[in-house]
Amino acid sequence: MSRRAWGTMRLPDGHGPLERDLMIMTAHVLRRYTERLLELEQIDSIRIGTKSLAYWAYKFATDNDADERLRLFSDVVSSGRDQ
């Protein structure tokens, strides 16, 4: 899969900033993406730029899948590789 396909989601003009933001997907879908990235040996870090903390902060604190999302972040950090 190309590098662009993993990091960029292109939508037609006229969509708001959250509709282009990868962090608005459900924790389950986000886990599917990140677990595949973690399988690749050549990946040293994963960076996801997001505005969702400013526009939709409750998604990380009180949304239905907030606990699952925080577990995912914890799993990604704990899977870190020594450089």
Side-chain angles (χ1 to χ4, degrees):
M1 179 164 270
S2 75
R3 182 177 238 200
R4 182 179 189 152
W6 279 106
T8 305
M9 186 187 325
R10 297 272 182 199
L11 294 175
D13 289 336
H15 288 81
L18 284 181
E19 294 180 29
R20 295 182 187 168
D21 196 325
L22 295 176
M23 291 302 291
I24 66 167
M25 64 179 73
T26 65
H28 175 73
V29 174
L30 186 59
R31 181 174 289 279
R32 287 192 347 227
Y33 277 92
T34 55
E35 284 179 346
R36 290 196 55 200
L37 287 172
L38 293 173
E39 292 172 2
L40 302 172
E41 289 184 25
Q42 64 268 33
I43 300 292
D44 290 327
S45 63
I46 300 171
R47 180 188 179 278
I48 301 174
T50 184
K51 293 182 180 180
S52 62
L53 287 168
Y55 289 98
W56 200 0
Y58 70 87
K59 181 156 188 71
F60 298 89
T62 61
D63 215 18
N64 292 338
D65 66 348
D67 290 339
E68 184 180 352
R69 182 177 306 275
L70 292 176
R71 271 192 302 277
L72 168 62
F73 296 156
S74 177
D75 292 347
V76 169
V77 170
S78 66
S79 73
R81 300 183 184 115
D82 293 331
Q83 300 263 344

